[in-house]
Amino acid sequence: MKIKKLMLGLSLMAALIAGGCSKPKKQSEPILTKSQVIKCSQKSFKSGQAKQVITLGTDTSNQVVATTALFGGNPTVFQLNSQTQAKGKTQSAQEWVDNSNHIYINGESNWYKSDFNKLTGHSYVDLLDSIVNNPMLMDPPAALTKAYKMTRKGQTYTLDATVKDQKTIKKALDPIFITNNQSSKQQTIYRKIAKIGKIQGMTAKLVVKNKKLYTFQYLVKIKVNKLMRFSAGQSYGNIGSRDFLKIPNNALNAKPLPETNKKKK
């Protein structure tokens, strides 16, 4: 009997040890609601890449003005890559902008510095509002949030929307018009085209993966006349990839930009 009791005790002890060592089952993540997904997209990034594109075209030709902005750091700095395509030719420029409202331009192996406002007609704060704090992402209008239709695959949530509300669409155009240009005159032209044209609508797509913003994009289409079309859009990607972005050290020793080059045509 003593041997049987001893064997039973050892068996119970082994069972307890095995139970104590077994890993608890991992609980599955709760499924997020649409409003929770939107909140995740607003609070999960401080750096990344944004692109603004404006296209004016017909069936046979296009004029494209595009700005790709890498942003990040503390305080936020921007590396801007601008491109203008028209009549088969492309003009490109790379610039850095800091929170002192300075623009740094690399030209002919030398760095030049100027006042960002004077050179482009918009400011560092405009860049922050347009890119980092874009209202379509950070404070989406009710018409946009209502239009979103959500699908889910695992922990990846995709929100798609088609918006016809004119007030929302005009609000979406403003950040692009203000900062995707090389002069205040160019911005005025954008606004005139949008005013005389007929806004056809806006599409938007927001993707949140593992409770963090993955991509976001929206595009507005305008019919100017029977032959001409106009579109303006903004997109985000590579979120969290530029948290420690800094102005290059050699750019900080830049020379003043010569007076004759202060205004871009």
Side-chain angles (χ1 to χ4, degrees):
M1 289 292 291
K2 287 183 179 181
I3 293 173
K4 286 184 178 180
K5 287 182 179 180
L6 179 62
M7 293 297 291
L8 180 61
L10 290 172
S11 298
L12 289 171
M13 188 178 294
L16 287 171
I17 292 171
C21 292
S22 64
K23 293 182 179 180
K25 290 184 178 179
K26 187 178 180 180
Q27 293 184 346
S28 59
E29 290 284 340
I31 296 175
L32 302 178
T33 64
K34 184 168 75 172
S35 61
Q36 288 174 326
V37 171
I38 293 171
K39 284 182 180 179
C40 286
S41 72
Q42 297 166 334
K43 298 179 180 179
S44 58
F45 75 95
K46 63 179 182 179
S47 73
Q49 178 179 311
K51 186 172 184 178
Q52 298 177 333
V53 181
I54 291 176
T55 304
L56 178 62
T58 65
D59 290 336
T60 57
S61 64
N62 282 329
Q63 295 179 18
V64 181
V65 179
T67 301
T68 300
L70 303 179
F71 63 93
N74 185 25
T76 303
V77 298
F78 296 89
Q79 181 187 0
L80 305 178
N81 295 279
S82 305
Q83 273 197 346
T84 302
Q85 298 175 354
K87 297 180 180 179
K89 296 181 179 180
T90 301
Q91 291 182 330
S92 302
Q94 186 181 103
E95 306 156 341
W96 289 82
V97 182
D98 64 13
N99 65 319
S100 299
N101 215 49
H102 290 142
I103 181 170
Y104 302 87
I105 305 166
N106 190 356
E108 298 180 356
S109 302
N110 290 315
W111 283 93
Y112 297 96
K113 181 173 75 172
S114 184
D115 181 276
F116 189 47
N117 274 73
K118 291 179 181 178
L119 201 65
T120 65
H122 53 271
S123 67
Y124 170 84
V125 173
D126 290 332
L127 279 180
L128 280 178
D129 289 343
S130 173
I131 294 173
V132 180
N133 302 316
N134 187 288
M136 294 299 106
L137 180 61
M138 302 309 293
D139 187 21
L144 176 56
T145 58
K146 186 178 179 181
Y148 273 136
K149 305 297 181 184
M150 187 171 77
T151 57
R152 179 180 71 90
K153 187 175 181 180
Q155 291 303 306
T156 300
Y157 295 81
T158 302
L159 275 60
D160 287 288
T162 299
V163 180
K164 296 292 185 181
D165 181 67
Q166 298 288 298
K167 187 177 179 181
T168 298
I169 294 173
K170 289 175 182 178
K171 191 175 182 181
L173 286 171
D174 266 344
I176 304 170
F177 285 175
I178 290 171
T179 53
N180 187 33
N181 63 72
Q182 295 297 304
S183 69
S184 55
K185 184 178 180 181
Q186 199 172 29
Q187 182 187 154
T188 302
I189 293 171
Y190 294 159
R191 295 191 183 281
K192 283 183 178 179
I193 292 173
K195 189 175 182 179
I196 65 173
K198 182 180 179 181
I199 295 175
Q200 295 181 301
M202 179 179 86
T203 55
K205 184 175 184 178
L206 173 68
V207 179
V208 168
K209 189 173 183 179
N210 297 323
K211 296 184 179 179
K212 292 183 178 181
L213 176 66
Y214 187 66
T215 60
F216 174 64
Q217 60 188 40
Y218 66 88
L219 179 68
V220 175
K221 292 185 177 180
I222 298 172
K223 185 177 182 181
V224 183
N225 53 40
K226 289 182 179 180
L227 298 176
M228 195 171 292
R229 300 177 303 276
F230 182 81
S231 66
Q234 183 156 322
S235 61
Y236 292 81
N238 297 321
I239 304 302
S241 62
R242 300 290 191 280
D243 285 1
F244 304 101
L245 192 67
K246 291 183 179 180
I247 302 283
N249 289 332
N250 51 348
L252 297 175
N253 298 318
K255 304 173 184 177
L257 187 68
E259 291 286 332
T260 54
N261 293 333
K262 275 195 172 182
K263 290 185 179 180
K264 293 185 177 180
K265 295 180 179 180

mmCIF file of all heavy atoms in Angstrom, residues 47-89:
data_model
loop_
_atom_site.group_PDB
_atom_site.id
_atom_site.type_symbol
_atom_site.label_atom_id
_atom_site.label_comp_id
_atom_site.label_asym_id
_atom_site.label_seq_id
_atom_site.Cartn_x
_atom_site.Cartn_y
_atom_site.Cartn_z
ATOM 1 N N SER A 47 6.812 59.490 -38.762
ATOM 2 C CA SER A 47 7.662 59.656 -39.940
ATOM 3 C C SER A 47 7.161 58.758 -41.058
ATOM 4 O O SER A 47 6.344 57.864 -40.843
ATOM 5 C CB SER A 47 9.119 59.313 -39.610
ATOM 6 O OG SER A 47 9.281 57.906 -39.455
ATOM 7 N N GLY A 48 7.681 59.017 -42.260
ATOM 8 C CA GLY A 48 7.301 58.188 -43.385
ATOM 9 C C GLY A 48 7.536 58.903 -44.705
ATOM 10 O O GLY A 48 8.403 59.780 -44.811
ATOM 11 N N GLN A 49 6.754 58.543 -45.694
ATOM 12 C CA GLN A 49 6.868 59.128 -47.024
ATOM 13 C C GLN A 49 5.480 59.505 -47.526
ATOM 14 O O GLN A 49 4.535 58.720 -47.421
ATOM 15 C CB GLN A 49 7.502 58.125 -47.990
ATOM 16 C CG GLN A 49 7.619 58.611 -49.426
ATOM 17 C CD GLN A 49 8.283 57.580 -50.329
ATOM 18 O OE1 GLN A 49 9.332 57.042 -49.992
ATOM 19 N NE2 GLN A 49 7.673 57.292 -51.470
ATOM 20 N N ALA A 50 5.356 60.717 -48.042
ATOM 21 C CA ALA A 50 4.091 61.168 -48.615
ATOM 22 C C ALA A 50 4.344 61.676 -50.029
ATOM 23 O O ALA A 50 5.415 62.215 -50.323
ATOM 24 C CB ALA A 50 3.484 62.274 -47.762
ATOM 25 N N LYS A 51 3.358 61.486 -50.887
ATOM 26 C CA LYS A 51 3.501 61.948 -52.269
ATOM 27 C C LYS A 51 2.243 62.690 -52.699
ATOM 28 O O LYS A 51 1.126 62.205 -52.502
ATOM 29 C CB LYS A 51 3.760 60.775 -53.216
ATOM 30 C CG LYS A 51 4.069 61.213 -54.650
ATOM 31 C CD LYS A 51 4.505 60.036 -55.514
ATOM 32 C CE LYS A 51 4.911 60.489 -56.910
ATOM 33 N NZ LYS A 51 5.379 59.368 -57.760
ATOM 34 N N GLN A 52 2.439 63.872 -53.269
ATOM 35 C CA GLN A 52 1.347 64.663 -53.820
ATOM 36 C C GLN A 52 1.519 64.727 -55.335
ATOM 37 O O GLN A 52 2.621 65.009 -55.815
ATOM 38 C CB GLN A 52 1.354 66.075 -53.246
ATOM 39 C CG GLN A 52 1.153 66.134 -51.737
ATOM 40 C CD GLN A 52 1.243 67.548 -51.198
ATOM 41 O OE1 GLN A 52 1.908 68.396 -51.772
ATOM 42 N NE2 GLN A 52 0.573 67.804 -50.095
ATOM 43 N N VAL A 53 0.437 64.487 -56.065
ATOM 44 C CA VAL A 53 0.499 64.497 -57.531
ATOM 45 C C VAL A 53 -0.686 65.274 -58.092
ATOM 46 O O VAL A 53 -1.839 65.021 -57.706
ATOM 47 C CB VAL A 53 0.493 63.069 -58.115
ATOM 48 C CG1 VAL A 53 0.581 63.128 -59.639
ATOM 49 C CG2 VAL A 53 1.641 62.246 -57.559
ATOM 50 N N ILE A 54 -0.396 66.205 -58.985
ATOM 51 C CA ILE A 54 -1.434 66.929 -59.721
ATOM 52 C C ILE A 54 -1.224 66.666 -61.202
ATOM 53 O O ILE A 54 -0.108 66.821 -61.716
ATOM 54 C CB ILE A 54 -1.376 68.444 -59.426
ATOM 55 C CG1 ILE A 54 -1.794 68.702 -57.979
ATOM 56 C CG2 ILE A 54 -2.265 69.226 -60.390
ATOM 57 C CD1 ILE A 54 -1.681 70.154 -57.552
ATOM 58 N N THR A 55 -2.284 66.263 -61.889
ATOM 59 C CA THR A 55 -2.198 65.934 -63.310
ATOM 60 C C THR A 55 -3.254 66.703 -64.096
ATOM 61 O O THR A 55 -4.437 66.694 -63.732
ATOM 62 C CB THR A 55 -2.408 64.424 -63.543
ATOM 63 O OG1 THR A 55 -1.459 63.683 -62.771
ATOM 64 C CG2 THR A 55 -2.229 64.070 -65.011
ATOM 65 N N LEU A 56 -2.814 67.357 -65.147
ATOM 66 C CA LEU A 56 -3.715 68.024 -66.081
ATOM 67 C C LEU A 56 -3.472 67.380 -67.437
ATOM 68 O O LEU A 56 -2.352 67.414 -67.959
ATOM 69 C CB LEU A 56 -3.422 69.524 -66.148
ATOM 70 C CG LEU A 56 -4.270 70.348 -67.129
ATOM 71 C CD1 LEU A 56 -5.748 70.304 -66.750
ATOM 72 C CD2 LEU A 56 -3.773 71.786 -67.173
ATOM 73 N N GLY A 57 -4.507 66.744 -68.008
ATOM 74 C CA GLY A 57 -4.247 65.991 -69.221
ATOM 75 C C GLY A 57 -5.423 65.862 -70.153
ATOM 76 O O GLY A 57 -6.575 66.173 -69.799
ATOM 77 N N THR A 58 -5.111 65.395 -71.337
ATOM 78 C CA THR A 58 -6.099 65.048 -72.361
ATOM 79 C C THR A 58 -5.844 63.603 -72.758
ATOM 80 O O THR A 58 -5.027 62.912 -72.137
ATOM 81 C CB THR A 58 -5.961 65.969 -73.588
ATOM 82 O OG1 THR A 58 -4.678 65.735 -74.203
ATOM 83 C CG2 THR A 58 -6.070 67.433 -73.203
ATOM 84 N N ASP A 59 -6.502 63.167 -73.821
ATOM 85 C CA ASP A 59 -6.278 61.796 -74.295
ATOM 86 C C ASP A 59 -4.884 61.602 -74.883
ATOM 87 O O ASP A 59 -4.391 60.491 -74.999
ATOM 88 C CB ASP A 59 -7.329 61.432 -75.349
ATOM 89 C CG ASP A 59 -8.715 61.275 -74.740
ATOM 90 O OD1 ASP A 59 -8.795 60.993 -73.533
ATOM 91 O OD2 ASP A 59 -9.704 61.450 -75.477
ATOM 92 N N THR A 60 -4.242 62.692 -75.254
ATOM 93 C CA THR A 60 -2.949 62.586 -75.951
ATOM 94 C C THR A 60 -1.749 63.073 -75.150
ATOM 95 O O THR A 60 -0.612 62.738 -75.468
ATOM 96 C CB THR A 60 -2.998 63.372 -77.274
ATOM 97 O OG1 THR A 60 -3.338 64.741 -77.000
ATOM 98 C CG2 THR A 60 -4.050 62.780 -78.208
ATOM 99 N N SER A 61 -1.953 63.869 -74.097
ATOM 100 C CA SER A 61 -0.803 64.390 -73.350
ATOM 101 C C SER A 61 -1.171 64.703 -71.903
ATOM 102 O O SER A 61 -2.345 64.941 -71.584
ATOM 103 C CB SER A 61 -0.253 65.658 -74.019
ATOM 104 O OG SER A 61 -1.215 66.685 -73.979
ATOM 105 N N ASN A 62 -0.136 64.705 -71.054
ATOM 106 C CA ASN A 62 -0.317 65.003 -69.632
ATOM 107 C C ASN A 62 0.744 65.980 -69.143
ATOM 108 O O ASN A 62 1.891 65.946 -69.602
ATOM 109 C CB ASN A 62 -0.204 63.734 -68.780
ATOM 110 C CG ASN A 62 -1.452 62.893 -68.819
ATOM 111 O OD1 ASN A 62 -2.553 63.410 -68.963
ATOM 112 N ND2 ASN A 62 -1.290 61.591 -68.698
ATOM 113 N N GLN A 63 0.352 66.841 -68.226
ATOM 114 C CA GLN A 63 1.294 67.663 -67.471
ATOM 115 C C GLN A 63 1.184 67.232 -66.014
ATOM 116 O O GLN A 63 0.085 67.229 -65.453
ATOM 117 C CB GLN A 63 0.963 69.150 -67.613
ATOM 118 C CG GLN A 63 1.122 69.683 -69.020
ATOM 119 C CD GLN A 63 0.771 71.158 -69.133
ATOM 120 O OE1 GLN A 63 0.718 71.869 -68.128
ATOM 121 N NE2 GLN A 63 0.541 71.626 -70.343
ATOM 122 N N VAL A 64 2.312 66.859 -65.428
ATOM 123 C CA VAL A 64 2.298 66.304 -64.078
ATOM 124 C C VAL A 64 3.226 67.101 -63.162
ATOM 125 O O VAL A 64 4.384 67.360 -63.511
ATOM 126 C CB VAL A 64 2.742 64.820 -64.075
ATOM 127 C CG1 VAL A 64 2.699 64.246 -62.664
ATOM 128 C CG2 VAL A 64 1.862 63.995 -65.011
ATOM 129 N N VAL A 65 2.708 67.485 -62.008
ATOM 130 C CA VAL A 65 3.512 68.128 -60.973
ATOM 131 C C VAL A 65 3.445 67.225 -59.739
ATOM 132 O O VAL A 65 2.354 66.980 -59.203
ATOM 133 C CB VAL A 65 2.996 69.536 -60.622
ATOM 134 C CG1 VAL A 65 3.850 70.159 -59.519
ATOM 135 C CG2 VAL A 65 2.987 70.429 -61.865
ATOM 136 N N ALA A 66 4.592 66.691 -59.318
ATOM 137 C CA ALA A 66 4.623 65.734 -58.210
ATOM 138 C C ALA A 66 5.680 66.128 -57.184
ATOM 139 O O ALA A 66 6.770 66.567 -57.540
ATOM 140 C CB ALA A 66 4.910 64.332 -58.734
ATOM 141 N N THR A 67 5.335 65.956 -55.921
ATOM 142 C CA THR A 67 6.281 66.177 -54.835
ATOM 143 C C THR A 67 6.276 64.966 -53.912
ATOM 144 O O THR A 67 5.225 64.596 -53.374
ATOM 145 C CB THR A 67 5.924 67.427 -54.012
ATOM 146 O OG1 THR A 67 5.924 68.568 -54.856
ATOM 147 C CG2 THR A 67 6.940 67.629 -52.886
ATOM 148 N N THR A 68 7.432 64.327 -53.759
ATOM 149 C CA THR A 68 7.584 63.240 -52.805
ATOM 150 C C THR A 68 8.317 63.789 -51.586
ATOM 151 O O THR A 68 9.398 64.365 -51.713
ATOM 152 C CB THR A 68 8.390 62.075 -53.410
ATOM 153 O OG1 THR A 68 7.703 61.598 -54.567
ATOM 154 C CG2 THR A 68 8.529 60.939 -52.411
ATOM 155 N N ALA A 69 7.704 63.638 -50.422
ATOM 156 C CA ALA A 69 8.274 64.189 -49.194
ATOM 157 C C ALA A 69 8.614 63.070 -48.224
ATOM 158 O O ALA A 69 7.747 62.291 -47.815
ATOM 159 C CB ALA A 69 7.286 65.153 -48.547
ATOM 160 N N LEU A 70 9.908 62.966 -47.865
ATOM 161 C CA LEU A 70 10.315 62.127 -46.745
ATOM 162 C C LEU A 70 10.267 63.018 -45.511
ATOM 163 O O LEU A 70 10.798 64.128 -45.531
ATOM 164 C CB LEU A 70 11.723 61.585 -46.957
ATOM 165 C CG LEU A 70 11.966 60.780 -48.235
ATOM 166 C CD1 LEU A 70 13.422 60.325 -48.308
ATOM 167 C CD2 LEU A 70 11.034 59.598 -48.327
ATOM 168 N N PHE A 71 9.622 62.568 -44.458
ATOM 169 C CA PHE A 71 9.495 63.409 -43.266
ATOM 170 C C PHE A 71 9.781 62.599 -42.009
ATOM 171 O O PHE A 71 9.553 61.395 -41.956
ATOM 172 C CB PHE A 71 8.095 64.040 -43.188
ATOM 173 C CG PHE A 71 6.972 63.035 -43.055
ATOM 174 C CD1 PHE A 71 6.494 62.658 -41.807
ATOM 175 C CD2 PHE A 71 6.388 62.471 -44.181
ATOM 176 C CE1 PHE A 71 5.455 61.742 -41.682
ATOM 177 C CE2 PHE A 71 5.351 61.541 -44.069
ATOM 178 C CZ PHE A 71 4.887 61.179 -42.821
ATOM 179 N N GLY A 72 10.332 63.286 -41.009
ATOM 180 C CA GLY A 72 10.645 62.619 -39.749
ATOM 181 C C GLY A 72 11.583 63.455 -38.909
ATOM 182 O O GLY A 72 11.875 64.609 -39.232
ATOM 183 N N GLY A 73 12.092 62.861 -37.840
ATOM 184 C CA GLY A 73 12.994 63.584 -36.950
ATOM 185 C C GLY A 73 12.246 64.327 -35.868
ATOM 186 O O GLY A 73 11.020 64.342 -35.807
ATOM 187 N N ASN A 74 13.002 64.969 -34.988
ATOM 188 C CA ASN A 74 12.419 65.745 -33.894
ATOM 189 C C ASN A 74 13.250 67.001 -33.652
ATOM 190 O O ASN A 74 14.356 66.912 -33.138
ATOM 191 C CB ASN A 74 12.366 64.911 -32.611
ATOM 192 C CG ASN A 74 11.655 65.614 -31.476
ATOM 193 O OD1 ASN A 74 10.825 66.484 -31.710
ATOM 194 N ND2 ASN A 74 12.000 65.260 -30.251
ATOM 195 N N PRO A 75 12.775 68.179 -34.075
ATOM 196 C CA PRO A 75 11.508 68.437 -34.760
ATOM 197 C C PRO A 75 11.514 67.896 -36.182
ATOM 198 O O PRO A 75 12.574 67.602 -36.737
ATOM 199 C CB PRO A 75 11.402 69.964 -34.747
ATOM 200 C CG PRO A 75 12.829 70.422 -34.703
ATOM 201 C CD PRO A 75 13.569 69.423 -33.863
ATOM 202 N N THR A 76 10.335 67.777 -36.756
ATOM 203 C CA THR A 76 10.184 67.193 -38.088
ATOM 204 C C THR A 76 10.928 67.996 -39.144
ATOM 205 O O THR A 76 10.839 69.219 -39.187
ATOM 206 C CB THR A 76 8.693 67.124 -38.474
ATOM 207 O OG1 THR A 76 7.990 66.373 -37.478
ATOM 208 C CG2 THR A 76 8.519 66.447 -39.828
ATOM 209 N N VAL A 77 11.687 67.298 -39.987
ATOM 210 C CA VAL A 77 12.307 67.914 -41.159
ATOM 211 C C VAL A 77 11.767 67.207 -42.397
ATOM 212 O O VAL A 77 11.236 66.091 -42.308
ATOM 213 C CB VAL A 77 13.850 67.832 -41.129
ATOM 214 C CG1 VAL A 77 14.408 68.570 -39.931
ATOM 215 C CG2 VAL A 77 14.320 66.390 -41.147
ATOM 216 N N PHE A 78 11.893 67.858 -43.545
ATOM 217 C CA PHE A 78 11.371 67.317 -44.794
ATOM 218 C C PHE A 78 12.467 67.265 -45.854
ATOM 219 O O PHE A 78 13.237 68.221 -46.001
ATOM 220 C CB PHE A 78 10.232 68.195 -45.337
ATOM 221 C CG PHE A 78 9.025 68.248 -44.463
ATOM 222 C CD1 PHE A 78 8.918 69.207 -43.463
ATOM 223 C CD2 PHE A 78 7.988 67.343 -44.625
ATOM 224 C CE1 PHE A 78 7.796 69.270 -42.653
ATOM 225 C CE2 PHE A 78 6.860 67.393 -43.822
ATOM 226 C CZ PHE A 78 6.764 68.361 -42.826
ATOM 227 N N GLN A 79 12.530 66.162 -46.563
ATOM 228 C CA GLN A 79 13.339 66.078 -47.773
ATOM 229 C C GLN A 79 12.355 66.017 -48.940
ATOM 230 O O GLN A 79 11.586 65.063 -49.078
ATOM 231 C CB GLN A 79 14.229 64.841 -47.792
ATOM 232 C CG GLN A 79 15.102 64.760 -49.042
ATOM 233 C CD GLN A 79 15.869 63.450 -49.146
ATOM 234 O OE1 GLN A 79 15.765 62.594 -48.294
ATOM 235 N NE2 GLN A 79 16.621 63.298 -50.207
ATOM 236 N N LEU A 80 12.351 67.060 -49.767
ATOM 237 C CA LEU A 80 11.387 67.176 -50.853
ATOM 238 C C LEU A 80 12.037 66.846 -52.187
ATOM 239 O O LEU A 80 13.078 67.401 -52.526
ATOM 240 C CB LEU A 80 10.818 68.595 -50.903
ATOM 241 C CG LEU A 80 10.190 69.129 -49.607
ATOM 242 C CD1 LEU A 80 9.721 70.558 -49.808
ATOM 243 C CD2 LEU A 80 9.034 68.239 -49.156
ATOM 244 N N ASN A 81 11.416 65.969 -52.919
ATOM 245 C CA ASN A 81 11.848 65.643 -54.281
ATOM 246 C C ASN A 81 10.727 66.055 -55.222
ATOM 247 O O ASN A 81 9.663 65.430 -55.239
ATOM 248 C CB ASN A 81 12.143 64.149 -54.412
ATOM 249 C CG ASN A 81 13.317 63.723 -53.558
ATOM 250 O OD1 ASN A 81 14.463 63.888 -53.939
ATOM 251 N ND2 ASN A 81 13.034 63.177 -52.376
ATOM 252 N N SER A 82 10.957 67.120 -55.980
ATOM 253 C CA SER A 82 9.922 67.669 -56.854
ATOM 254 C C SER A 82 10.209 67.329 -58.302
ATOM 255 O O SER A 82 11.358 67.341 -58.745
ATOM 256 C CB SER A 82 9.852 69.192 -56.696
ATOM 257 O OG SER A 82 9.650 69.541 -55.346
ATOM 258 N N GLN A 83 9.131 67.028 -59.034
ATOM 259 C CA GLN A 83 9.249 66.720 -60.462
ATOM 260 C C GLN A 83 8.115 67.377 -61.240
ATOM 261 O O GLN A 83 6.963 67.343 -60.817
ATOM 262 C CB GLN A 83 9.190 65.213 -60.709
ATOM 263 C CG GLN A 83 10.517 64.512 -60.623
ATOM 264 C CD GLN A 83 10.479 63.125 -61.267
ATOM 265 O OE1 GLN A 83 9.417 62.581 -61.550
ATOM 266 N NE2 GLN A 83 11.639 62.553 -61.505
ATOM 267 N N THR A 84 8.468 67.975 -62.366
ATOM 268 C CA THR A 84 7.474 68.522 -63.286
ATOM 269 C C THR A 84 7.695 67.901 -64.654
ATOM 270 O O THR A 84 8.795 67.959 -65.194
ATOM 271 C CB THR A 84 7.602 70.055 -63.390
ATOM 272 O OG1 THR A 84 7.439 70.627 -62.087
ATOM 273 C CG2 THR A 84 6.540 70.623 -64.310
ATOM 274 N N GLN A 85 6.640 67.280 -65.179
ATOM 275 C CA GLN A 85 6.722 66.628 -66.483
ATOM 276 C C GLN A 85 5.756 67.309 -67.452
ATOM 277 O O GLN A 85 4.561 67.427 -67.156
ATOM 278 C CB GLN A 85 6.367 65.144 -66.374
ATOM 279 C CG GLN A 85 7.303 64.354 -65.478
ATOM 280 C CD GLN A 85 6.848 62.917 -65.292
ATOM 281 O OE1 GLN A 85 5.780 62.522 -65.741
ATOM 282 N NE2 GLN A 85 7.672 62.123 -64.618
ATOM 283 N N ALA A 86 6.275 67.756 -68.576
ATOM 284 C CA ALA A 86 5.443 68.398 -69.591
ATOM 285 C C ALA A 86 6.142 68.331 -70.938
ATOM 286 O O ALA A 86 7.352 68.536 -71.033
ATOM 287 C CB ALA A 86 5.167 69.854 -69.218
ATOM 288 N N LYS A 87 5.363 68.017 -71.985
ATOM 289 C CA LYS A 87 5.875 67.963 -73.359
ATOM 290 C C LYS A 87 7.111 67.066 -73.483
ATOM 291 O O LYS A 87 8.084 67.396 -74.161
ATOM 292 C CB LYS A 87 6.194 69.371 -73.850
ATOM 293 C CG LYS A 87 4.976 70.280 -73.925
ATOM 294 C CD LYS A 87 5.339 71.668 -74.418
ATOM 295 C CE LYS A 87 4.107 72.559 -74.482
ATOM 296 N NZ LYS A 87 4.417 73.938 -74.940
ATOM 297 N N GLY A 88 7.089 65.947 -72.775
ATOM 298 C CA GLY A 88 8.175 64.986 -72.871
ATOM 299 C C GLY A 88 9.424 65.343 -72.089
ATOM 300 O O GLY A 88 10.420 64.612 -72.134
ATOM 301 N N LYS A 89 9.405 66.457 -71.366
ATOM 302 C CA LYS A 89 10.575 66.878 -70.584
ATOM 303 C C LYS A 89 10.275 66.800 -69.090
ATOM 304 O O LYS A 89 9.146 67.008 -68.668
ATOM 305 C CB LYS A 89 10.980 68.304 -70.966
ATOM 306 C CG LYS A 89 11.444 68.457 -72.416
ATOM 307 C CD LYS A 89 11.858 69.891 -72.703
ATOM 308 C CE LYS A 89 12.349 70.044 -74.138
ATOM 309 N NZ LYS A 89 12.755 71.445 -74.444
#
